[in-house]
Amino acid sequence: MSSNDEKSDPQVIRKPIAAESVPWHVWSKGSRFGSRYRHLTKAVMGGDAYHVGVAIEELAPGQQSSPAHYHLLEEEHILILEGRATLRLGDETLEMSAGDYVCFPARQKAGHCLINTSDAPCRFVVIGEQKPDEVCVYTDSNKILVRSVDAVYDKSQVRDYWDGEATGADPGPSSSSSSS
């Protein structure tokens, strides 16, 4: 059995790991977005073959965790371990601190993200699903991510179902049959 087969084989016994043994990874975009994280699930599973992901993230002062978004198919959970952050949830901002927990159910149409408005790092656990057919809506930028086709679409470009289709004929003012 190759190591790739072992990564997705449910019969392979996964042993406990120390979270501190997982290296930090850093991501950022510009001066606004960024964090460092330990992806615990990837460390145990050895790749992307998982259904539920668990990571420890650390958000530096002044940083935002992600663009505000909501999920149509995936559920997401956050538990604050250390520090404080401001949760944007729809039109509300809520202060969170160590011990606070929040869940974002699938189809809850309220964009969410964390912003560290404090002067110290905020460390939290994030738990989320990893569905290949996920659709994610970005509320500030009016975009939609469709994971299954690996594309992000501009939501303002919504079209009618029949736009661009050769229907064969113009049905005229009424396509129903008239009675005499």
Side-chain angles (χ1 to χ4, degrees):
M1 177 182 289
S2 76
S3 62
N4 276 349
D5 292 336
E6 289 177 8
K7 289 178 186 177
S8 60
D9 183 356
Q11 299 310 314
V12 172
I13 303 299
R14 313 293 175 175
K15 295 184 179 174
I17 62 167
E20 295 79 27
S21 72
V22 178
W24 287 106
H25 296 276
V26 176
W27 78 271
S28 66
K29 187 65 174 177
S31 61
R32 179 177 175 187
F33 299 100
S35 71
R36 68 181 194 151
Y37 63 94
R38 290 178 163 147
H39 202 298
L40 304 179
T41 305
K42 285 185 179 184
V44 170
M45 299 297 285
D48 292 327
Y50 60 90
H51 300 287
V52 176
V54 177
I56 296 174
E57 287 195 41
E58 188 173 270
L59 197 56
Q63 295 292 288
Q64 184 169 322
S65 62
S66 64
H69 65 282
Y70 63 84
H71 303 273
L72 294 183
L73 302 175
E74 294 180 348
E75 188 171 280
E76 188 176 6
H77 305 256
I78 292 176
L79 172 65
I80 305 293
L81 299 174
E82 300 173 26
R84 297 185 329 263
T86 299
L87 168 66
R88 279 190 51 203
L89 183 58
D91 294 333
E92 292 186 72
T93 56
L94 306 162
E95 296 303 315
M96 295 184 69
S97 59
D100 290 345
Y101 164 80
V102 64
C103 174
F104 311 109
R107 297 178 310 282
Q108 179 183 61
K109 295 182 180 179
H112 60 268
C113 66
L114 289 178
I115 304 167
N116 187 343
T117 55
S118 78
D119 58 0
C122 177
R123 191 173 287 186
F124 56 95
V125 173
V126 60
I127 301 169
E129 296 178 90
Q130 179 72 13
K131 295 188 176 192
D133 53 350
E134 167 64 341
V135 176
C136 188
V137 177
Y138 295 90
T139 55
D140 291 341
S141 54
N142 209 27
K143 296 182 306 226
I144 299 174
L145 163 73
V146 180
R147 188 177 290 151
S148 61
V149 294
D150 193 26
V152 177
Y153 297 96
D154 182 345
K155 199 174 165 197
S156 68
Q157 298 297 314
V158 174
R159 297 172 63 186
D160 181 78
Y161 181 80
W162 295 108
D163 283 352
E165 299 295 335
T167 61
D170 181 11
S174 173
S175 59
S176 62
S177 37
S178 58
S179 57
S180 3

